[in-house]
Amino acid sequence: MRRFLPGEAGLESHALRRLTVHELFQAGLRRAGGQPLPMAGPLCRLAEGMFIRFSLRVKDDRIEAVAFKASTCVTLVAYCERLAKLVTGLGLADAIEITDADLVAALPGVHPAKRDRAAMAIEAFRAAVQAAAVNSHGGLSP
Amino acid sequence: MKVAYIFATQRHTVSYVLGKMILPQLEEDRHGVDVVGMFFFEDNNYVLLQGNPIGERLHAVAKKKGILLMGCDQCCYERDIADKLLDGVPIGCFPDLYGALAGNMPDQVITL
C-alpha cells in the first residue's frame, strides 16, 4: 500500500483534479523566479549539466515555505514543484523521509525515461533539509 | 546524405508531408537520403501516440532503419501525452536531441 504523505492531505482536498506535469512546470517556473528563502541548501550539480538548489523557511522544525532554483528541464521543475507542495507544512523529520518513489507516485504522467529527475529533486531537497536542521540544532536524529 | 526532420509547423505536415510522402518513400526504400532523426513540436506530437496509424507505421520503419524519433517534452506535457507515446520513443529538448544525434550527425536539418 502506498504510504500516505501528510502534506498531500491539504492539497488533495482542495484540488478536485490532479495537477498535470505542465501545470506544475508553469507553477514551478513562477516559484523559481522568486527570491530564495533564508535556509538555503547546497547547489546540487546533476547529470546532463543540470542543477537544483532548494531553500526553506522553517519554524519550530516545521517547513513553512519552500523555494528552489533549477535548470529549466520541464520534468525536473515539475518534480521540484510537486515536492515543494508535498512538504509544505511537514516537519523536517517527516519531509526527509519522502523518497523518489513517493515523488514518482505523486506525479503521474511523466515519461518513463524522465522519472530519474525525481531522485535528483529528492537529493537536492534532502540536502536543504539537512542544512536547515544543522542550522537549527546541529542536525536531524538518525 | 544524412538528414534530420523537425516538424515545427502546423501546416498539414504530419498527415500529408510525412504520412503521404516521406513515410511511404521510407517504407519503399526510395526516399533518397538516410533519415537519422525526426523531432516533433506542438500538435505534431500526437503522431507519436500509441495507436496512431501514421505513428505506428513510422515507428516500425524507424526501428528498422535506426531513425531517432523524439517528441518535444514541453509540448508533450502540455498535451498530457508524455506517458502515452509509442514504445521506446523519448521526449526531450534541444540538448537531448543533439545528444541523441551526436553519434550519427545529419548533414542537413530540414524544418517542416
Side-chain angles (χ1 to χ4, degrees):
Chain A
M1 189 188 336
R2 180 175 163 282
R3 185 165 68 89
F4 174 70
L5 297 172
E8 277 191 297
L11 175 67
E12 296 305 308
S13 66
H14 287 104
L16 299 179
R17 58 181 174 85
R18 68 171 177 88
L19 290 173
T20 65
V21 175
H22 178 70
E23 288 165 332
L24 286 163
F25 173 60
Q26 301 294 317
L29 282 184
R30 288 192 294 273
R31 187 189 297 261
Q35 293 297 313
L37 293 169
M39 294 188 177
L43 179 69
C44 297
R45 296 208 175 270
L46 313 164
E48 302 169 38
M50 292 188 288
F51 70 89
I52 316 174
R53 174 181 243 163
F54 276 91
S55 57
L56 310 173
R57 188 170 68 235
V58 175
K59 185 177 178 184
D60 299 331
D61 276 356
R62 195 155 292 275
I63 298 172
E64 285 191 328
V66 180
F68 63 82
K69 300 287 183 192
S71 303
T72 51
C73 164
V74 56
T75 315
L76 182 67
V77 172
Y79 273 136
C80 288
E81 178 62 20
R82 189 70 177 102
L83 183 57
K85 291 183 188 306
L86 279 173
V87 302
T88 302
L90 287 186
L92 292 176
D94 286 332
I96 206 167
E97 292 291 315
I98 295 175
T99 65
D100 47 323
D102 292 329
L103 187 53
V104 168
L107 183 50
V110 173
H111 190 283
K114 298 289 186 180
R115 290 174 192 164
D116 59 343
R117 269 69 168 153
M120 297 175 187
I122 291 290
E123 178 189 335
F125 173 71
R126 284 179 173 175
V129 169
Q130 289 287 5
V134 166
N135 192 280
S136 296
H137 46 57
L140 287 168
S141 304
Chain B
M1 184 169 72
K2 296 180 182 179
V3 304
Y5 290 112
I6 295 182
F7 291 86
T9 69
Q10 309 294 281
R11 280 180 55 246
H12 208 188
T13 47
V14 166
S15 62
Y16 184 55
V17 179
L18 177 63
K20 291 186 166 51
M21 295 184 190
I22 297 172
L23 182 54
Q25 291 164 3
L26 288 172
E27 290 170 328
E28 295 163 18
D29 290 318
R30 60 177 186 87
H31 187 51
V33 294
D34 290 331
V35 180
V36 298
M38 297 185 186
F39 191 84
F40 297 83
F41 282 109
E42 305 282 0
D43 286 350
N44 298 312
N45 282 284
Y46 284 113
V47 77
L48 299 176
L49 275 172
Q50 292 171 14
N52 181 284
I54 295 174
E56 293 284 355
R57 287 168 53 202
L58 178 63
H59 194 221
V61 81
K63 278 202 275 193
K64 181 181 167 189
K65 293 180 178 293
I67 300 172
L68 169 76
L69 302 178
M70 184 180 285
C72 160
D73 54 5
Q74 287 200 36
C75 302
C76 287
Y77 283 131
E78 184 185 350
R79 290 154 180 81
D80 208 10
I81 60 172
D83 60 340
K84 303 176 180 69
L85 302 183
L86 295 157
D87 190 44
V89 171
I91 62 171
C93 200
F94 288 109
D96 304 291
L97 177 62
Y98 298 145
L101 290 177
N104 195 19
M105 288 294 287
D107 301 301
Q108 300 272 355
V109 176
I110 298 168
T111 302
L112 297 168

